Amino acid sequence: MVVQRTLKSLTRAVGVGVHSGQKVELTLRPAPADTGIVFRRTDLALPVEIPVTPQSVTDTRMATTISRLDDPQGPKVQTIEHLLSACAGLGLDNLYVDITAEEVPILDGSAASFVFLLQSAGIELQKAPKRFLRVKKAVEVREGEGPTLKWARLAPFDGYTLAFEIEFHHPALDATGQRMVFDFGSGRYKRDIARARTFGFTKDVELMRSRGLGLGGSMDNVIVIDDYRVLNAEGLRYDDEFVKHKILDAMGDMHVAGKPLIGAYTAFKGGHALNNQLLRKLLADASAYEVVTFENSADAPAGLAELAPAW
């Protein structure tokens, strides 16, 4: 049987929020089967639990932010996508995330540090079937027209692939790969995707900071780009790091569903808002998906049952 996974022990990290600039301590703890991923704001007088669901997403400006369903204007947790991407890459279903501020630490700007933390704690197999969300019918969301067109789509596929295309019309980005297809079942998430960092433009810094965003950003956690080039002394980690980071984000945003996907994700110039709209549209149509389990791992799509072996 393909089973659910959690951590063997707890693990901690300290960092800053890329948007809030606040120092934050993160503690990742094992959770029972069927818990899902639950954030706990432990800095509040009365700790607040915020389960991760598509409906709990309340803001998608520059990051994915969640709040409680019964209190959408109340306590929140920002920038969850990199941690969720690491959870997806390692096949983690159940996790408690204790956090001492409202934003997950950015660490190095990728998912690699979260992968290291999760692997250090060890991954435990649980005595409960792993539930997959299988796409049965194509769903799509679109925004804009002509040069402003953006879209994202989920379609049936016996496995899990993510395809993304970027278009920035910028010399530094145009010189790199603009499109990538990643096969989730390849087992190469850690090598090919996890180290891709978030990126930002110097021309946007003043506007972002006037809106209370990007206050913790630096060249230690962001690829910084001026009008012509990448400013980070070490350059890029991948020749196509920009589009790979978009795939990293999309994996995290899709993991908000609470179950790993079986299907094909494709996006053109998409982002957090379209990703959340796409999941909500899928789940709003009962004929577009089904929840499946696999008694025999051989019956699961190639690579998905063997993904991220337990340590």
Side-chain angles (χ1 to χ4, degrees):
M1 180 171 65
V2 182
V3 298
Q4 296 177 35
R5 296 164 182 242
T6 189
L7 294 184
K8 286 183 178 177
S9 61
L10 64 79
T11 184
R12 291 190 175 95
V14 176
V16 298
V18 69
H19 293 304
S20 66
Q22 287 181 296
K23 182 178 178 180
V24 55
E25 182 174 329
L26 189 77
T27 303
L28 307 173
R29 298 191 292 114
D34 298 320
T35 299
I37 297 174
V38 179
F39 284 84
R40 297 177 71 248
R41 286 285 304 276
T42 59
D43 57 312
L44 304 176
L46 290 175
V48 173
E49 291 194 350
I50 308 176
V52 175
T53 70
Q55 292 73 31
S56 68
V57 174
T58 50
D59 197 344
T60 51
R61 293 172 300 165
M62 307 299 293
T64 294
T65 298
I66 57 171
S67 304
R68 284 188 62 87
L69 290 175
D70 58 359
D71 189 13
Q73 302 304 316
K76 60 186 178 181
V77 179
Q78 295 178 282
T79 319
I80 66 171
E81 59 273 11
H82 298 172
L83 173 56
L84 261 62
S85 183
C87 290
L90 297 179
L92 274 172
D93 304 280
N94 306 301
L95 187 68
Y96 286 123
V97 184
D98 294 349
I99 188 168
T100 62
E102 69 176 26
E103 188 175 14
V104 174
I106 190 65
L107 302 181
D108 77 339
S110 75
S113 296
F114 294 115
V115 169
F116 174 79
L117 286 169
L118 295 166
Q119 286 187 331
S120 297
I123 295 174
E124 182 174 280
L125 302 180
Q126 298 178 290
K127 295 179 180 179
K130 191 180 190 80
R131 296 179 177 87
F132 293 82
L133 194 65
R134 193 201 320 257
V135 179
K136 294 175 61 181
K137 185 173 74 175
V139 295
E140 182 176 293
V141 291
R142 301 172 75 86
E143 178 186 307
E145 295 180 0
T148 65
L149 176 65
K150 304 174 182 179
W151 55 264
R153 177 189 303 131
L154 284 169
F157 179 75
D158 189 31
Y160 184 22
T161 60
L162 300 101
F164 208 107
E165 184 173 355
I166 58 175
E167 185 180 88
F168 283 92
H169 302 296
H170 183 285
L173 279 80
D174 292 351
T176 71
Q178 302 292 290
R179 187 176 191 276
M180 184 191 179
V181 180
F182 177 66
D183 183 349
F184 196 75
S186 67
R188 297 199 302 231
Y189 170 79
K190 181 179 172 182
R191 189 190 79 180
D192 291 352
I193 302 296
R195 296 178 64 247
R197 294 161 294 172
T198 193
F199 56 94
F201 300 90
T202 54
K203 63 182 176 64
D204 296 333
V205 169
E206 187 175 333
L207 176 61
M208 287 175 60
R209 293 189 171 172
S210 71
R211 295 176 176 176
L213 299 170
L215 302 179
S218 72
M219 289 194 194
D220 292 330
N221 52 43
V222 177
I223 302 172
V224 181
I225 309 154
D226 67 10
D227 291 342
Y228 305 102
R229 61 193 176 93
V230 170
L231 299 182
N232 304 61
E234 73 276 17
L236 299 178
R237 294 176 175 177
Y238 303 105
D239 290 341
D240 49 359
E241 187 166 1
F242 301 112
V243 71
K244 281 185 172 179
H245 186 79
K246 288 293 190 178
I247 286 180
L248 183 157
D249 275 350
M251 287 174 57
D253 286 343
M254 292 299 103
H255 207 55
V256 167
K259 302 173 183 66
L261 286 176
I262 298 177
Y265 166 95
T266 312
F268 174 67
K269 295 166 59 177
H272 303 301
L274 281 180
N275 288 339
N276 189 246
Q277 292 170 30
L278 182 65
L279 273 186
R280 291 189 186 216
K281 186 171 183 178
L282 175 73
L283 296 174
D285 184 351
S287 68
Y289 72 94
E290 63 181 345
V291 177
V292 298
T293 60
F294 298 99
E295 279 296 322
N296 189 332
S297 60
D299 296 331
L304 296 195
E306 299 80 20
L307 190 65
W311 282 264

